[in-house]
């Protein structure tokens, strides 16, 4: 796995260690007890270099902020809807499980 970037706009300032920094994983390979997958998570923090050509006007900033607010609101609504659907499905599954247990108990009583 890799992070690709161009240095004209961003500069890396921090990153997670690589596999080579973990002698145990280098020796045993992946997956292992520390990394249960053959893929390890990667992350980096970048500093954005300002460019006079790409600075946003106040109007453009406001448009961008409003679009981001709308996106956050839309995602929250979608998450809330999904949570409600999952809660409903879970309640239905529990109800069906209870009905199956009652039916199984009734069958067991009839056969004894």
């Amino acid at each position: 796995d890799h992070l690709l970037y161009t240095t004209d706009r961003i500069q890396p300032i921090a990153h997670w260690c690589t596999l080579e920094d973990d002698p145990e994983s280098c020796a045993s390979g992946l997956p292992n007890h520390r990394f249960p997958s053959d893929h390890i998570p990667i992350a980096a923090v970048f500093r954005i270099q300002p460019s006079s050509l790409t600075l946003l006007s106040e109007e453009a900033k406001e448009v961008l902020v409003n679009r981001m607010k709308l996106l956050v609101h839309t995602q929250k609504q979608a998450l809330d809807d999904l949570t409600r659907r999952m809660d409903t499905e879970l309640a239905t599954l529990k109800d069906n499980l209870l009905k199956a247990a009652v039916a199984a108990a009734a069958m067991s009583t009839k056969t004894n």
Side-chain angles (χ1 to χ4, degrees):
D1 296 328
H2 297 82
L3 293 173
L4 304 176
Y5 62 94
T6 58
T7 58
D8 63 327
R9 287 299 322 253
I10 59 175
Q11 295 295 319
I13 58 174
H15 61 84
W16 282 357
C17 294
T18 62
L19 181 63
E20 291 80 14
D21 291 332
D22 180 24
E24 183 180 340
S25 292
C26 283
S28 66
L30 295 178
N32 61 39
H33 75 282
R34 288 194 59 212
F35 299 106
S37 171
D38 61 345
H39 295 275
I40 59 172
I42 59 174
V45 177
F46 294 93
R47 176 181 297 118
I48 298 173
Q49 304 296 334
S51 167
S52 60
L53 298 176
T54 59
L55 293 177
L56 295 176
S57 68
E58 289 303 314
E59 181 182 345
K61 287 178 187 177
E62 186 176 339
V63 168
L64 182 59
V65 167
N66 288 335
R67 288 178 63 191
M68 293 302 296
K69 286 179 180 178
L70 178 61
L71 178 62
V72 168
H73 176 73
T74 302
Q75 288 179 337
K76 184 180 180 329
Q77 281 184 318
L79 179 60
D80 291 346
D81 291 345
L82 180 59
T83 300
R84 279 192 294 279
R85 287 196 339 248
M86 289 175 58
D87 288 345
T88 300
E89 187 174 334
L90 180 60
T92 300
L93 289 170
K94 286 180 178 179
D95 188 48
N96 290 343
L97 185 58
L98 179 60
K99 289 177 183 177
V102 168
M107 291 295 288
S108 176
T109 303
K110 287 182 183 180
T111 58
N112 292 336

mmCIF file of all heavy atoms in Angstrom, residues 44-87:
data_model
loop_
_atom_site.group_PDB
_atom_site.id
_atom_site.type_symbol
_atom_site.label_atom_id
_atom_site.label_comp_id
_atom_site.label_asym_id
_atom_site.label_seq_id
_atom_site.Cartn_x
_atom_site.Cartn_y
_atom_site.Cartn_z
ATOM 1 N N ALA A 44 -0.771 9.317 6.928
ATOM 2 C CA ALA A 44 0.209 10.393 6.923
ATOM 3 C C ALA A 44 -0.519 11.705 7.174
ATOM 4 O O ALA A 44 -1.717 11.827 6.909
ATOM 5 C CB ALA A 44 0.951 10.454 5.590
ATOM 6 N N VAL A 45 0.209 12.649 7.708
ATOM 7 C CA VAL A 45 -0.301 14.007 7.896
ATOM 8 C C VAL A 45 0.496 14.903 6.963
ATOM 9 O O VAL A 45 1.725 14.826 6.923
ATOM 10 C CB VAL A 45 -0.130 14.463 9.369
ATOM 11 C CG1 VAL A 45 -0.597 15.898 9.536
ATOM 12 C CG2 VAL A 45 -0.869 13.528 10.305
ATOM 13 N N PHE A 46 -0.231 15.734 6.223
ATOM 14 C CA PHE A 46 0.408 16.625 5.264
ATOM 15 C C PHE A 46 0.124 18.078 5.613
ATOM 16 O O PHE A 46 -0.945 18.412 6.109
ATOM 17 C CB PHE A 46 -0.121 16.356 3.840
ATOM 18 C CG PHE A 46 0.247 15.012 3.301
ATOM 19 C CD1 PHE A 46 -0.611 13.939 3.463
ATOM 20 C CD2 PHE A 46 1.435 14.829 2.620
ATOM 21 C CE1 PHE A 46 -0.272 12.688 2.958
ATOM 22 C CE2 PHE A 46 1.778 13.587 2.110
ATOM 23 C CZ PHE A 46 0.922 12.513 2.280
ATOM 24 N N ARG A 47 1.088 18.921 5.335
ATOM 25 C CA ARG A 47 0.902 20.372 5.438
ATOM 26 C C ARG A 47 0.610 20.863 4.032
ATOM 27 O O ARG A 47 1.349 20.568 3.087
ATOM 28 C CB ARG A 47 2.159 21.045 5.973
ATOM 29 C CG ARG A 47 2.050 22.575 6.007
ATOM 30 C CD ARG A 47 3.318 23.244 6.528
ATOM 31 N NE ARG A 47 3.563 22.842 7.911
ATOM 32 C CZ ARG A 47 4.643 22.171 8.328
ATOM 33 N NH1 ARG A 47 5.585 21.839 7.470
ATOM 34 N NH2 ARG A 47 4.799 21.851 9.591
ATOM 35 N N ILE A 48 -0.491 21.604 3.894
ATOM 36 C CA ILE A 48 -0.865 22.150 2.590
ATOM 37 C C ILE A 48 -0.100 23.450 2.366
ATOM 38 O O ILE A 48 -0.117 24.338 3.210
ATOM 39 C CB ILE A 48 -2.382 22.388 2.500
ATOM 40 C CG1 ILE A 48 -3.128 21.061 2.660
ATOM 41 C CG2 ILE A 48 -2.746 23.072 1.189
ATOM 42 C CD1 ILE A 48 -4.622 21.210 2.741
ATOM 43 N N GLN A 49 0.564 23.524 1.242
ATOM 44 C CA GLN A 49 1.319 24.716 0.881
ATOM 45 C C GLN A 49 0.390 25.667 0.133
ATOM 46 O O GLN A 49 -0.154 25.302 -0.913
ATOM 47 C CB GLN A 49 2.509 24.350 -0.018
ATOM 48 C CG GLN A 49 3.447 23.331 0.562
ATOM 49 C CD GLN A 49 4.147 23.845 1.813
ATOM 50 O OE1 GLN A 49 4.327 25.033 2.000
ATOM 51 N NE2 GLN A 49 4.531 22.940 2.685
ATOM 52 N N PRO A 50 0.195 26.869 0.647
ATOM 53 C CA PRO A 50 -0.688 27.807 -0.065
ATOM 54 C C PRO A 50 -0.072 28.224 -1.397
ATOM 55 O O PRO A 50 1.139 28.282 -1.545
ATOM 56 C CB PRO A 50 -0.805 28.997 0.882
ATOM 57 C CG PRO A 50 0.369 28.901 1.775
ATOM 58 C CD PRO A 50 0.761 27.453 1.838
ATOM 59 N N SER A 51 -0.932 28.493 -2.321
ATOM 60 C CA SER A 51 -0.502 28.947 -3.638
ATOM 61 C C SER A 51 -1.337 30.169 -4.004
ATOM 62 O O SER A 51 -2.559 30.144 -3.873
ATOM 63 C CB SER A 51 -0.694 27.848 -4.672
ATOM 64 O OG SER A 51 -0.557 28.357 -5.974
ATOM 65 N N SER A 52 -0.711 31.190 -4.465
ATOM 66 C CA SER A 52 -1.450 32.409 -4.823
ATOM 67 C C SER A 52 -2.425 32.142 -5.969
ATOM 68 O O SER A 52 -3.409 32.852 -6.124
ATOM 69 C CB SER A 52 -0.489 33.527 -5.199
ATOM 70 O OG SER A 52 0.293 33.143 -6.312
ATOM 71 N N LEU A 53 -2.161 31.114 -6.756
ATOM 72 C CA LEU A 53 -3.047 30.811 -7.876
ATOM 73 C C LEU A 53 -4.316 30.084 -7.437
ATOM 74 O O LEU A 53 -5.314 30.112 -8.132
ATOM 75 C CB LEU A 53 -2.308 29.947 -8.907
ATOM 76 C CG LEU A 53 -1.084 30.584 -9.546
ATOM 77 C CD1 LEU A 53 -0.396 29.574 -10.462
ATOM 78 C CD2 LEU A 53 -1.486 31.827 -10.325
ATOM 79 N N THR A 54 -4.284 29.440 -6.274
ATOM 80 C CA THR A 54 -5.426 28.616 -5.876
ATOM 81 C C THR A 54 -6.154 29.143 -4.641
ATOM 82 O O THR A 54 -7.000 28.459 -4.102
ATOM 83 C CB THR A 54 -4.968 27.176 -5.606
ATOM 84 O OG1 THR A 54 -3.992 27.193 -4.575
ATOM 85 C CG2 THR A 54 -4.423 26.519 -6.849
ATOM 86 N N LEU A 55 -5.824 30.340 -4.181
ATOM 87 C CA LEU A 55 -6.534 30.901 -3.038
ATOM 88 C C LEU A 55 -7.979 31.193 -3.423
ATOM 89 O O LEU A 55 -8.261 31.718 -4.509
ATOM 90 C CB LEU A 55 -5.847 32.175 -2.552
ATOM 91 C CG LEU A 55 -4.457 31.980 -1.933
ATOM 92 C CD1 LEU A 55 -3.862 33.329 -1.562
ATOM 93 C CD2 LEU A 55 -4.533 31.083 -0.720
ATOM 94 N N LEU A 56 -8.887 30.858 -2.531
ATOM 95 C CA LEU A 56 -10.307 31.055 -2.813
ATOM 96 C C LEU A 56 -10.747 32.450 -2.412
ATOM 97 O O LEU A 56 -10.303 32.987 -1.387
ATOM 98 C CB LEU A 56 -11.139 30.030 -2.042
ATOM 99 C CG LEU A 56 -10.957 28.565 -2.405
ATOM 100 C CD1 LEU A 56 -11.782 27.689 -1.471
ATOM 101 C CD2 LEU A 56 -11.349 28.311 -3.843
ATOM 102 N N SER A 57 -11.653 32.976 -3.190
ATOM 103 C CA SER A 57 -12.263 34.253 -2.813
ATOM 104 C C SER A 57 -13.187 34.005 -1.627
ATOM 105 O O SER A 57 -13.553 32.862 -1.330
ATOM 106 C CB SER A 57 -13.066 34.818 -3.991
ATOM 107 O OG SER A 57 -14.197 33.990 -4.229
ATOM 108 N N GLU A 58 -13.586 35.065 -0.963
ATOM 109 C CA GLU A 58 -14.504 34.922 0.176
ATOM 110 C C GLU A 58 -15.811 34.278 -0.275
ATOM 111 O O GLU A 58 -16.378 33.444 0.428
ATOM 112 C CB GLU A 58 -14.756 36.275 0.846
ATOM 113 C CG GLU A 58 -13.562 36.805 1.603
ATOM 114 C CD GLU A 58 -13.061 35.840 2.680
ATOM 115 O OE1 GLU A 58 -13.879 35.295 3.435
ATOM 116 O OE2 GLU A 58 -11.832 35.617 2.745
ATOM 117 N N GLU A 59 -16.283 34.661 -1.437
ATOM 118 C CA GLU A 59 -17.529 34.078 -1.965
ATOM 119 C C GLU A 59 -17.356 32.585 -2.223
ATOM 120 O O GLU A 59 -18.213 31.777 -1.881
ATOM 121 C CB GLU A 59 -17.939 34.799 -3.254
ATOM 122 C CG GLU A 59 -19.231 34.261 -3.848
ATOM 123 C CD GLU A 59 -19.610 34.956 -5.148
ATOM 124 O OE1 GLU A 59 -19.041 36.033 -5.449
ATOM 125 O OE2 GLU A 59 -20.458 34.402 -5.854
ATOM 126 N N ALA A 60 -16.236 32.203 -2.823
ATOM 127 C CA ALA A 60 -15.976 30.790 -3.096
ATOM 128 C C ALA A 60 -15.830 30.000 -1.797
ATOM 129 O O ALA A 60 -16.296 28.862 -1.696
ATOM 130 C CB ALA A 60 -14.723 30.636 -3.957
ATOM 131 N N LYS A 61 -15.196 30.599 -0.784
ATOM 132 C CA LYS A 61 -15.080 29.937 0.515
ATOM 133 C C LYS A 61 -16.458 29.691 1.119
ATOM 134 O O LYS A 61 -16.735 28.616 1.651
ATOM 135 C CB LYS A 61 -14.245 30.781 1.484
ATOM 136 C CG LYS A 61 -12.769 30.804 1.181
ATOM 137 C CD LYS A 61 -12.048 31.706 2.167
ATOM 138 C CE LYS A 61 -10.599 31.900 1.793
ATOM 139 N NZ LYS A 61 -9.915 32.824 2.707
ATOM 140 N N GLU A 62 -17.328 30.705 1.039
ATOM 141 C CA GLU A 62 -18.674 30.568 1.589
ATOM 142 C C GLU A 62 -19.450 29.477 0.867
ATOM 143 O O GLU A 62 -20.140 28.666 1.501
ATOM 144 C CB GLU A 62 -19.415 31.908 1.494
ATOM 145 C CG GLU A 62 -20.761 31.887 2.177
ATOM 146 C CD GLU A 62 -21.453 33.245 2.166
ATOM 147 O OE1 GLU A 62 -20.772 34.276 2.003
ATOM 148 O OE2 GLU A 62 -22.678 33.248 2.320
ATOM 149 N N VAL A 63 -19.332 29.435 -0.455
ATOM 150 C CA VAL A 63 -19.994 28.382 -1.233
ATOM 151 C C VAL A 63 -19.479 27.006 -0.810
ATOM 152 O O VAL A 63 -20.253 26.076 -0.590
ATOM 153 C CB VAL A 63 -19.788 28.608 -2.752
ATOM 154 C CG1 VAL A 63 -20.202 27.390 -3.552
ATOM 155 C CG2 VAL A 63 -20.551 29.844 -3.208
ATOM 156 N N LEU A 64 -18.173 26.880 -0.659
ATOM 157 C CA LEU A 64 -17.570 25.611 -0.263
ATOM 158 C C LEU A 64 -18.028 25.191 1.135
ATOM 159 O O LEU A 64 -18.401 24.038 1.358
ATOM 160 C CB LEU A 64 -16.047 25.707 -0.324
ATOM 161 C CG LEU A 64 -15.277 24.442 0.023
ATOM 162 C CD1 LEU A 64 -15.645 23.284 -0.897
ATOM 163 C CD2 LEU A 64 -13.779 24.714 -0.034
ATOM 164 N N VAL A 65 -18.022 26.129 2.071
ATOM 165 C CA VAL A 65 -18.466 25.826 3.440
ATOM 166 C C VAL A 65 -19.926 25.392 3.431
ATOM 167 O O VAL A 65 -20.309 24.417 4.098
ATOM 168 C CB VAL A 65 -18.243 27.036 4.374
ATOM 169 C CG1 VAL A 65 -18.977 26.849 5.694
ATOM 170 C CG2 VAL A 65 -16.755 27.245 4.612
ATOM 171 N N ASN A 66 -20.761 26.074 2.681
ATOM 172 C CA ASN A 66 -22.177 25.702 2.619
ATOM 173 C C ASN A 66 -22.371 24.325 1.996
ATOM 174 O O ASN A 66 -23.228 23.550 2.441
ATOM 175 C CB ASN A 66 -22.978 26.765 1.864
ATOM 176 C CG ASN A 66 -23.139 28.034 2.664
ATOM 177 O OD1 ASN A 66 -23.088 28.015 3.893
ATOM 178 N ND2 ASN A 66 -23.311 29.156 1.989
ATOM 179 N N ARG A 67 -21.580 24.010 0.977
ATOM 180 C CA ARG A 67 -21.667 22.679 0.368
ATOM 181 C C ARG A 67 -21.248 21.605 1.364
ATOM 182 O O ARG A 67 -21.839 20.535 1.431
ATOM 183 C CB ARG A 67 -20.802 22.614 -0.895
ATOM 184 C CG ARG A 67 -21.402 23.412 -2.049
ATOM 185 C CD ARG A 67 -20.538 23.400 -3.268
ATOM 186 N NE ARG A 67 -20.386 22.055 -3.802
ATOM 187 C CZ ARG A 67 -19.512 21.735 -4.743
ATOM 188 N NH1 ARG A 67 -18.729 22.649 -5.254
ATOM 189 N NH2 ARG A 67 -19.430 20.503 -5.178
ATOM 190 N N MET A 68 -20.203 21.898 2.146
ATOM 191 C CA MET A 68 -19.747 20.942 3.160
ATOM 192 C C MET A 68 -20.809 20.754 4.244
ATOM 193 O O MET A 68 -21.055 19.638 4.701
ATOM 194 C CB MET A 68 -18.420 21.394 3.780
ATOM 195 C CG MET A 68 -17.255 21.375 2.808
ATOM 196 S SD MET A 68 -16.959 19.754 2.064
ATOM 197 C CE MET A 68 -16.518 18.812 3.499
ATOM 198 N N LYS A 69 -21.442 21.841 4.673
ATOM 199 C CA LYS A 69 -22.510 21.742 5.671
ATOM 200 C C LYS A 69 -23.659 20.891 5.143
ATOM 201 O O LYS A 69 -24.221 20.068 5.866
ATOM 202 C CB LYS A 69 -23.010 23.127 6.066
ATOM 203 C CG LYS A 69 -22.048 23.891 6.948
ATOM 204 C CD LYS A 69 -22.597 25.272 7.287
ATOM 205 C CE LYS A 69 -21.642 26.044 8.178
ATOM 206 N NZ LYS A 69 -22.133 27.409 8.476
ATOM 207 N N LEU A 70 -24.019 21.097 3.882
ATOM 208 C CA LEU A 70 -25.081 20.306 3.272
ATOM 209 C C LEU A 70 -24.681 18.836 3.209
ATOM 210 O O LEU A 70 -25.489 17.944 3.497
ATOM 211 C CB LEU A 70 -25.410 20.832 1.867
ATOM 212 C CG LEU A 70 -26.477 20.057 1.101
ATOM 213 C CD1 LEU A 70 -27.807 20.086 1.840
ATOM 214 C CD2 LEU A 70 -26.632 20.623 -0.311
ATOM 215 N N LEU A 71 -23.432 18.568 2.855
ATOM 216 C CA LEU A 71 -22.943 17.193 2.799
ATOM 217 C C LEU A 71 -23.013 16.535 4.178
ATOM 218 O O LEU A 71 -23.479 15.401 4.313
ATOM 219 C CB LEU A 71 -21.518 17.159 2.264
ATOM 220 C CG LEU A 71 -20.847 15.794 2.199
ATOM 221 C CD1 LEU A 71 -21.601 14.861 1.267
ATOM 222 C CD2 LEU A 71 -19.404 15.936 1.757
ATOM 223 N N VAL A 72 -22.576 17.242 5.210
ATOM 224 C CA VAL A 72 -22.629 16.705 6.579
ATOM 225 C C VAL A 72 -24.080 16.430 6.966
ATOM 226 O O VAL A 72 -24.399 15.369 7.524
ATOM 227 C CB VAL A 72 -21.965 17.684 7.579
ATOM 228 C CG1 VAL A 72 -22.274 17.302 9.020
ATOM 229 C CG2 VAL A 72 -20.462 17.729 7.341
ATOM 230 N N HIS A 73 -24.974 17.361 6.663
ATOM 231 C CA HIS A 73 -26.393 17.177 6.985
ATOM 232 C C HIS A 73 -26.975 15.973 6.240
ATOM 233 O O HIS A 73 -27.677 15.146 6.831
ATOM 234 C CB HIS A 73 -27.163 18.453 6.628
ATOM 235 C CG HIS A 73 -28.631 18.344 6.835
ATOM 236 N ND1 HIS A 73 -29.210 18.332 8.084
ATOM 237 C CD2 HIS A 73 -29.650 18.223 5.948
ATOM 238 C CE1 HIS A 73 -30.518 18.214 7.954
ATOM 239 N NE2 HIS A 73 -30.806 18.145 6.670
ATOM 240 N N THR A 74 -26.657 15.863 4.964
ATOM 241 C CA THR A 74 -27.154 14.742 4.154
ATOM 242 C C THR A 74 -26.634 13.407 4.684
ATOM 243 O O THR A 74 -27.375 12.435 4.787
ATOM 244 C CB THR A 74 -26.739 14.937 2.686
ATOM 245 O OG1 THR A 74 -27.258 16.184 2.225
ATOM 246 C CG2 THR A 74 -27.259 13.811 1.807
ATOM 247 N N GLN A 75 -25.358 13.366 5.050
ATOM 248 C CA GLN A 75 -24.785 12.126 5.582
ATOM 249 C C GLN A 75 -25.401 11.778 6.937
ATOM 250 O O GLN A 75 -25.643 10.609 7.226
ATOM 251 C CB GLN A 75 -23.272 12.249 5.696
ATOM 252 C CG GLN A 75 -22.587 12.235 4.349
ATOM 253 C CD GLN A 75 -21.083 12.376 4.465
ATOM 254 O OE1 GLN A 75 -20.561 12.888 5.445
ATOM 255 N NE2 GLN A 75 -20.371 11.921 3.438
ATOM 256 N N LYS A 76 -25.671 12.774 7.765
ATOM 257 C CA LYS A 76 -26.309 12.511 9.057
ATOM 258 C C LYS A 76 -27.700 11.945 8.846
ATOM 259 O O LYS A 76 -28.101 10.996 9.528
ATOM 260 C CB LYS A 76 -26.378 13.779 9.907
ATOM 261 C CG LYS A 76 -26.955 13.509 11.294
ATOM 262 C CD LYS A 76 -27.032 14.741 12.131
ATOM 263 C CE LYS A 76 -27.590 14.513 13.517
ATOM 264 N NZ LYS A 76 -28.565 13.472 13.694
ATOM 265 N N GLN A 77 -28.456 12.518 7.908
ATOM 266 C CA GLN A 77 -29.784 11.996 7.612
ATOM 267 C C GLN A 77 -29.703 10.546 7.131
ATOM 268 O O GLN A 77 -30.484 9.698 7.554
ATOM 269 C CB GLN A 77 -30.485 12.847 6.548
ATOM 270 C CG GLN A 77 -31.082 14.111 7.080
ATOM 271 C CD GLN A 77 -31.839 14.848 5.992
ATOM 272 O OE1 GLN A 77 -31.395 14.955 4.840
ATOM 273 N NE2 GLN A 77 -32.998 15.365 6.346
ATOM 274 N N ALA A 78 -28.762 10.264 6.242
ATOM 275 C CA ALA A 78 -28.609 8.903 5.726
ATOM 276 C C ALA A 78 -28.243 7.945 6.852
ATOM 277 O O ALA A 78 -28.772 6.824 6.925
ATOM 278 C CB ALA A 78 -27.545 8.869 4.623
ATOM 279 N N LEU A 79 -27.359 8.352 7.753
ATOM 280 C CA LEU A 79 -26.982 7.516 8.884
ATOM 281 C C LEU A 79 -28.179 7.286 9.800
ATOM 282 O O LEU A 79 -28.417 6.158 10.249
ATOM 283 C CB LEU A 79 -25.830 8.153 9.666
ATOM 284 C CG LEU A 79 -25.363 7.382 10.895
ATOM 285 C CD1 LEU A 79 -24.864 5.990 10.520
ATOM 286 C CD2 LEU A 79 -24.276 8.162 11.627
ATOM 287 N N ASP A 80 -28.936 8.334 10.077
ATOM 288 C CA ASP A 80 -30.133 8.186 10.916
ATOM 289 C C ASP A 80 -31.137 7.235 10.276
ATOM 290 O O ASP A 80 -31.720 6.378 10.957
ATOM 291 C CB ASP A 80 -30.783 9.545 11.179
ATOM 292 C CG ASP A 80 -29.957 10.445 12.083
ATOM 293 O OD1 ASP A 80 -29.008 9.943 12.737
ATOM 294 O OD2 ASP A 80 -30.254 11.656 12.135
ATOM 295 N N ASP A 81 -31.356 7.364 8.965
ATOM 296 C CA ASP A 81 -32.272 6.466 8.257
ATOM 297 C C ASP A 81 -31.783 5.024 8.321
ATOM 298 O O ASP A 81 -32.562 4.106 8.577
ATOM 299 C CB ASP A 81 -32.431 6.892 6.785
ATOM 300 C CG ASP A 81 -33.186 8.198 6.616
ATOM 301 O OD1 ASP A 81 -33.835 8.650 7.582
ATOM 302 O OD2 ASP A 81 -33.105 8.778 5.516
ATOM 303 N N LEU A 82 -30.504 4.826 8.100
ATOM 304 C CA LEU A 82 -29.937 3.485 8.156
ATOM 305 C C LEU A 82 -30.064 2.906 9.561
ATOM 306 O O LEU A 82 -30.413 1.730 9.721
ATOM 307 C CB LEU A 82 -28.472 3.509 7.722
ATOM 308 C CG LEU A 82 -27.734 2.177 7.717
ATOM 309 C CD1 LEU A 82 -28.405 1.177 6.789
ATOM 310 C CD2 LEU A 82 -26.285 2.381 7.321
ATOM 311 N N THR A 83 -29.808 3.710 10.576
ATOM 312 C CA THR A 83 -29.937 3.248 11.960
ATOM 313 C C THR A 83 -31.372 2.828 12.252
ATOM 314 O O THR A 83 -31.606 1.779 12.863
ATOM 315 C CB THR A 83 -29.482 4.352 12.930
ATOM 316 O OG1 THR A 83 -28.117 4.662 12.663
ATOM 317 C CG2 THR A 83 -29.621 3.905 14.381
ATOM 318 N N ARG A 84 -32.343 3.614 11.814
ATOM 319 C CA ARG A 84 -33.755 3.249 12.013
ATOM 320 C C ARG A 84 -34.092 1.943 11.306
ATOM 321 O O ARG A 84 -34.756 1.068 11.867
ATOM 322 C CB ARG A 84 -34.673 4.373 11.526
ATOM 323 C CG ARG A 84 -34.844 5.505 12.514
ATOM 324 C CD ARG A 84 -35.982 6.454 12.107
ATOM 325 N NE ARG A 84 -35.693 7.167 10.876
ATOM 326 C CZ ARG A 84 -34.941 8.256 10.797
ATOM 327 N NH1 ARG A 84 -34.396 8.753 11.870
ATOM 328 N NH2 ARG A 84 -34.736 8.843 9.646
ATOM 329 N N ARG A 85 -33.628 1.795 10.066
ATOM 330 C CA ARG A 85 -33.911 0.554 9.326
ATOM 331 C C ARG A 85 -33.272 -0.643 10.011
ATOM 332 O O ARG A 85 -33.871 -1.719 10.112
ATOM 333 C CB ARG A 85 -33.406 0.676 7.885
ATOM 334 C CG ARG A 85 -34.266 1.579 7.041
ATOM 335 C CD ARG A 85 -34.055 1.466 5.527
ATOM 336 N NE ARG A 85 -32.821 0.913 5.062
ATOM 337 C CZ ARG A 85 -31.869 1.592 4.421
ATOM 338 N NH1 ARG A 85 -32.001 2.868 4.209
ATOM 339 N NH2 ARG A 85 -30.783 0.982 3.996
ATOM 340 N N MET A 86 -32.042 -0.472 10.492
ATOM 341 C CA MET A 86 -31.364 -1.582 11.174
ATOM 342 C C MET A 86 -32.063 -1.918 12.491
ATOM 343 O O MET A 86 -32.206 -3.091 12.838
ATOM 344 C CB MET A 86 -29.900 -1.232 11.415
ATOM 345 C CG MET A 86 -29.085 -1.210 10.138
ATOM 346 S SD MET A 86 -27.368 -0.663 10.363
ATOM 347 C CE MET A 86 -26.758 -1.822 11.529
ATOM 348 N N ASP A 87 -32.513 -0.907 13.227
ATOM 349 C CA ASP A 87 -33.244 -1.154 14.470
ATOM 350 C C ASP A 87 -34.535 -1.918 14.195
ATOM 351 O O ASP A 87 -34.885 -2.848 14.931
ATOM 352 C CB ASP A 87 -33.550 0.158 15.192
ATOM 353 C CG ASP A 87 -32.316 0.801 15.811
ATOM 354 O OD1 ASP A 87 -31.272 0.109 15.936
ATOM 355 O OD2 ASP A 87 -32.394 2.003 16.159
#
